[in-house]
């Protein structure tokens, strides 16, 4: 085995440099894996780095299978793709101490995952006469909870060829470099040095205006060599991904909005993972709340769960390459079969919508196999604009921006009426009084919402005609509505708590206490303390000044009580 795999765990650096060894590394990656092909064992885990990172045996097995193309397509060379894996074995301790600040400030679509890992793979297969099978087959895998597909695949392009060619401790050196990076802070532009290159990225923030293009020119800070500027940490080339299905973009958007079960059958893990990630991104800024697997194999632990015919398929988008899935998943309601993605000067051949019974086990032609009827009519102007772009040889990123803008406007047209209605359920500010619990948020009534659509529906912002009401009714039954409603309800509850604390601050506590018994005053102290603790733990949107004033109020109240009660409350 090469020196890399014999390398000793590095000594812990002094506490002053970083709170914990690997703390900064863990803000970006959980670990790096090397998966190789062993004649006796098949795919095998050769290395996990840092050495003390613990993956369960189930996770190791899954990573091994997901890191190699499932079906041998005859292709040699280098391949990049992504997968997403359900974490097994409960909550894991991590070197990265995150109090949830990143998730509070990041867009919902870019939050750190709590129950899944992303795997970013660089697979190499080349002829090698020194190997028993005559081939060198190895994958370098970055395992992270962050959905930064663009950043991590760009990082792999820099480090994987170096690692495969030299097979020396360069991986350890790279991990040490990543452990010097500043953690990802939403809204900040970071310079990330690795192997003599500086990658420059901006971490998106929740307060960014949806659809605003990233700043074209960052502060270069006289960096030499000039940095490798990534326009986005996560956005794919949507136009390239959606090329064969552009005329069906409306249908695919609806299927994603409704959380329908979809299988993407592709010729390679690259195409399957890009298509699945493109589909899950097309609802932004609405979070896609269902499960998704950019690449899935027959060895996956959830294989039985997804292929059973005794229950309806789960709400998931799954990307597969093995033809065996045509047989095992043909009971799923929507199957998208795509060929290799090739950029050409013309509009690529568009797949047709076909009936599910046309799905042949062998030689299934590209197409969308479904009986789904769209609620909205097709947007022909989008196709015309994209066609014009192809004729004028517009760069792919410009076409992608057009497509992204169209999907964003469609999602916003759909979601704005819901936002307006849910905002109307918030109690009036004057109903919030200091000495009573804040009033409840009124319940979401679907029929009441439907009545608002006549005067304030999507037709105000969207030219598309169709059965919008039918689409909303179906949406109410989807996990995406449930996820959106829970998030909004949580935010509104926290806002109410914050307004209540501010009302307490403005109140005259001394006047309130005049005719109150000791029991009532002690009860108030305990309730205020509980509110203060909750405000700090939940990071409620309250000014620090307000929290300090409430703290002073508590002290003032305690000081007005008899000494024996003061002692009890100070120690409580």
């Amino acid at each position: 085995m090469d020196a890399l795999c014999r390398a000793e765990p590095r000594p812990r650096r002094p506490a002053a440099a970083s709170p914990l060894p690997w703390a900064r590394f863990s803000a970006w990656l959980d670990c790096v894996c090397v998966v190789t092909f062993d004649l006796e064992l098949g795919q095998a885990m050769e290395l996990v780095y840092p050495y003390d990172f613990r993956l369960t045996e189930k996770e190791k097995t899954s990573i091994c299978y997901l890191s190699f193309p499932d079906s041998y397509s005859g292709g040699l060379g280098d391949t990049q793709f992504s997968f997403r894996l359900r974490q097994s074995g409960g909550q894991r301790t991590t070197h990265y101490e995150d109090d949830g600040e990143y998730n509070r400030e990041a867009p919902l679509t870019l939050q750190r995952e709590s129950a899944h890992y992303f795997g970013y793979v660089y697979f190499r297969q080349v002829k090698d006469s020194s190997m028993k099978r005559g081939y060198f087959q190895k994958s370098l895998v970055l395992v992270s909870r962050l959905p930064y597909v663009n950043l991590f695949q760009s990082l792999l392009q820099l480090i994987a060829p170096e690692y495969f060619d030299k097979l020396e401790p360069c991986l350890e050196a790279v991990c040490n470099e990543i452990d010097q990076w500043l953690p990802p802070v939403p809204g900040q532009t970071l310079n990330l040095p690795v192997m003599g290159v500086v990658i420059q990225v901006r971490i998106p923030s929740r307060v960014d205006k949806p659809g605003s293009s990233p700043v074209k020119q960052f502060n270069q800070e006289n960096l030499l060599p000039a940095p490798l500027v990534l326009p986005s940490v996560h956005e794919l080339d949507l136009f390239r991904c959606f090329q064969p299905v552009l005329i069906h973009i409306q249908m695919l958007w609806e299927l994603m909005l409704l959380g329908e079960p979809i299988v993407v059958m592709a010729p390679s893990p690259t195409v399957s993972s890009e298509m699945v990630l493109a589909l899950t991104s097309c609802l932004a800024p609405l979070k896609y709340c269902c499960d998704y697997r950019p690449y899935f194999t027959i060895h996956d632990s959830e294989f039985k769960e997804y292929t059973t015919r005794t229950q309806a398929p789960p709400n998931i988008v799954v990307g597969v390459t093995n033809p065996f899935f045509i047989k095992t998943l043909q009971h799923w309601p929507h199957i998208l079969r795509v060929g290799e993605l090739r950029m050409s000067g013309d509009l690529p051949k568009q797949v047709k919508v076909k009936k599910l019974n046309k799905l042949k086990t062998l030689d299934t032609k590209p197409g969308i196999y479904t009986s789904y009827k769209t609620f909205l009519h097709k947007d022909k102007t989008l196709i015309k604009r994209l066609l014009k772009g192809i004729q004028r040889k517009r760069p792919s990123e410009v076409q992608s921006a057009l497509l992204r803008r169209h999907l964003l406007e469609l999602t916003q047209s759909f979601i704005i009426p819901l936002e307006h209605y849910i905002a109307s359920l918030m109690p009036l500010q004057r109903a919030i009084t200091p000495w009573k619990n804040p009033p409840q948020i009124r319940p979401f009534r679907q029929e009441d919402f439907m009545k608002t659509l006549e005067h304030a529906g999507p037709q105000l912002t969207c030219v598309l005609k169709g059965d919008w009401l039918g689409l909303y009714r179906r949406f109410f039954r989807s996990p995406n509505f449930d996820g959106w409603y829970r998030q909004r309800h949580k935010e509104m509850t926290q806002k109410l708590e914050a307004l209540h604390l501010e009302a307490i601050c403005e109140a005259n506590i001394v006047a309130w206490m005049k005719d109150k018994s000791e029991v009532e005053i002690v009860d108030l102290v305990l309730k205020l303390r509980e509110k203060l603790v909750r405000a700090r733990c939940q990071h409620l949107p309250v000014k620090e000044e307000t929290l300090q004033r409430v703290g002073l109020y508590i002290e003032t109240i305690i000081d007005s009580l008899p000494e024996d009660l003061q002692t009890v409350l100070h120690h409580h």
Side-chain angles (χ1 to χ4, degrees):
M1 198 60 231
D2 63 306
L4 171 65
C5 300
R6 293 198 309 271
E8 292 299 312
R10 66 175 189 172
R12 293 185 169 233
R13 64 157 84 89
S18 170
L20 282 167
W22 302 117
R24 287 185 164 188
F25 174 90
S26 303
W28 296 91
L29 295 170
D30 282 74
C31 63
V32 179
C33 302
V34 176
V35 180
T36 191
F37 192 88
D38 183 285
L39 267 181
E40 280 78 46
L41 305 171
Q43 279 112 284
M45 188 73 75
E46 186 177 299
L47 173 72
V48 178
Y49 200 85
Y51 298 107
D52 62 350
F53 188 78
R54 293 281 169 263
L55 288 165
T56 64
E57 286 308 310
K58 191 175 178 183
E59 286 164 350
K60 281 184 185 173
T61 304
S62 294
I63 289 170
C64 283
Y65 283 121
L66 289 165
S67 299
F68 272 43
D70 191 6
S71 44
Y72 178 63
S73 56
L76 291 174
D78 295 356
T79 310
Q80 285 184 257
F81 55 93
S82 317
F83 61 80
R84 184 168 172 268
L85 166 76
R86 193 185 290 171
Q87 188 183 303
S88 65
Q91 282 297 315
R92 211 68 50 88
T93 52
T94 169
H95 296 298
Y96 177 56
E97 292 175 2
D98 178 22
D99 65 353
E101 190 173 355
Y102 171 83
N103 274 5
R104 282 193 303 280
E105 295 179 8
L108 294 173
T109 51
L110 290 181
Q111 287 184 326
R112 195 184 297 276
E113 290 264 7
S114 59
H116 291 84
Y117 290 126
F118 291 100
Y120 303 98
V121 183
Y122 193 111
F123 169 72
R124 174 168 287 186
Q125 175 169 275
V126 288
K127 284 187 175 172
D128 185 342
S129 54
S130 68
M131 300 282 188
K132 275 187 188 171
R133 297 178 83 225
Y135 289 101
F136 170 95
Q137 290 174 305
K138 205 169 275 210
S139 281
L140 183 62
V141 189
L142 305 181
V143 178
S144 174
R145 295 174 189 278
L146 293 167
Y148 291 174
V149 59
N150 233 10
L151 170 63
F152 291 130
Q153 291 293 10
S154 301
L155 183 60
L156 278 170
Q157 283 168 14
L158 292 171
I159 63 178
E162 195 78 4
Y163 169 69
F164 290 139
D165 291 346
K166 298 189 176 168
L167 288 179
E168 59 175 52
C170 72
L171 201 54
E172 188 171 355
V174 164
C175 291
N176 279 311
E177 278 192 288
I178 295 170
D179 199 32
Q180 308 296 321
W181 290 2
L182 291 173
V185 176
Q188 285 194 6
T189 295
L190 300 175
N191 293 316
L192 310 173
V194 62
M195 289 177 54
V197 177
V198 174
I199 303 175
Q200 195 170 74
V201 290
R202 182 183 178 277
I203 308 299
S205 161
R206 197 173 291 196
V207 296
D208 294 346
K209 189 169 169 280
S212 58
S213 57
V215 186
K216 282 281 182 284
Q217 193 62 38
F218 299 128
N219 177 12
Q220 299 289 326
E221 296 175 18
N222 301 321
L223 290 171
L224 286 171
L228 167 65
V229 179
L230 295 185
S232 165
V233 285
H234 67 290
E235 285 179 351
L236 293 162
D237 184 341
L238 268 199
F239 179 66
R240 193 173 69 83
C241 296
F242 283 150
Q243 268 201 96
V245 292
L246 288 171
I247 61 170
H248 307 298
I249 214 77
Q250 193 78 39
M251 175 190 274
L252 293 170
W253 176 83
E254 283 187 24
L255 292 173
M256 295 304 292
L257 182 73
L258 301 174
E260 286 286 311
I262 303 174
V263 183
V264 173
M265 292 184 172
S268 69
T270 309
V271 177
S272 107
S273 59
E274 285 193 355
M275 182 62 88
V276 170
L277 291 175
L279 286 168
T280 57
S281 76
C282 68
L283 297 182
L286 184 67
K287 184 177 182 179
Y288 177 71
C289 296
C290 307
D291 200 355
Y292 61 98
R293 299 298 157 93
Y295 173 52
F296 187 77
T297 76
I298 55 173
H299 305 286
D300 205 285
S301 56
E302 279 105 52
F303 177 74
K304 280 197 177 76
E305 189 184 319
Y306 296 164
T307 52
T308 178
R309 288 167 190 253
T310 56
Q311 58 197 54
N315 301 93
I316 181 172
V317 181
V318 61
V320 301
T321 60
N322 193 322
F324 180 66
F325 279 108
I326 295 174
K327 193 175 177 183
T328 55
L329 297 179
Q330 64 189 160
H331 61 294
W332 279 45
H334 319 288
I335 295 173
L336 169 57
R337 181 85 160 100
V338 288
E340 281 294 351
L341 297 178
R342 289 191 181 87
M343 291 296 273
S344 61
D346 294 316
L347 182 69
K349 191 176 177 189
Q350 298 294 288
V351 303
K352 291 188 170 71
V353 175
K354 303 178 182 187
K355 291 203 166 49
L356 278 159
N357 59 12
K358 292 273 196 297
L359 197 66
K360 295 188 181 70
T361 311
L362 291 164
D363 192 35
T364 297
K365 291 190 166 59
I368 302 177
Y369 294 82
T370 180
S371 55
Y372 179 80
K373 296 284 180 282
T374 58
F375 287 91
L376 306 180
H377 304 157
K378 256 182 206 168
D379 184 358
K380 296 201 174 129
T381 54
L382 172 73
I383 300 301
K384 284 176 185 163
R385 288 173 77 188
L386 291 170
L387 265 173
K388 195 176 278 183
I390 291 170
Q391 286 155 5
R392 292 179 177 175
K393 297 193 167 36
R394 241 187 241 139
S396 186
E397 58 265 29
V398 178
Q399 296 278 73
S400 282
L402 256 175
L403 202 45
R404 197 168 274 112
R405 162 71 53 190
H406 168 79
L407 291 165
L408 171 71
E409 286 171 358
L410 194 51
T411 302
Q412 284 181 323
S413 293
F414 183 81
I415 221 77
I416 284 168
L418 284 162
E419 297 282 4
H420 285 166
Y421 173 71
I422 203 166
S424 74
L425 304 178
M426 186 83 165
L428 296 171
Q429 199 155 344
R430 65 168 178 266
I432 300 166
T433 56
W435 316 123
K436 284 184 186 167
N437 281 331
Q440 296 286 303
I441 298 162
R442 291 193 299 285
F444 189 108
R445 298 191 196 283
Q446 293 179 14
E447 287 313 312
D448 288 353
F449 165 71
M450 293 305 227
K451 285 172 194 160
T452 68
L453 293 177
E454 194 180 337
H455 304 292
Q459 71 278 7
L460 297 181
T461 51
C462 188
V463 294
L464 283 188
K465 299 280 184 282
D467 181 9
W468 286 96
L469 281 98
L471 188 59
Y472 280 113
R473 284 208 167 87
R474 274 285 284 273
F475 178 67
F476 290 143
R477 303 204 299 268
S478 82
N480 289 327
F481 169 70
D482 188 55
W484 170 82
Y485 176 72
R486 281 169 192 262
Q487 177 67 27
R488 284 290 173 270
H489 197 273
K490 179 182 159 191
E491 287 166 5
M492 287 161 74
T493 307
Q494 291 184 342
K495 178 73 177 158
L496 271 178
E497 279 279 329
L499 289 169
H500 193 222
L501 277 170
E502 280 164 23
I504 290 165
C505 265
E506 301 302 318
N508 184 341
I509 284 197
V510 179
W512 177 84
M513 283 165 52
K514 272 182 185 163
D515 58 345
K516 298 295 181 290
S517 67
E518 281 181 3
V519 173
E520 287 174 296
I521 292 171
V522 169
D523 187 50
L524 175 71
V525 168
L526 297 177
K527 278 183 175 165
L528 285 180
R529 271 191 176 160
E530 190 190 331
K531 274 189 161 300
L532 211 50
V533 169
R534 200 162 56 231
R536 292 203 184 278
C537 290
Q538 295 180 0
H539 302 274
L540 295 185
V542 189
K543 292 179 190 145
E544 183 57 37
E545 178 193 346
T546 304
L547 296 177
Q548 286 173 0
R549 277 174 72 185
V550 173
L552 280 171
Y553 275 11
I554 293 170
E555 292 306 314
T556 307
I557 300 167
I558 293 174
D559 290 344
S560 72
L561 293 166
E563 273 190 29
D564 57 335
L565 274 177
Q566 284 189 36
T567 310
V568 171
L569 286 169
H570 278 307
H571 288 95
H572 187 77

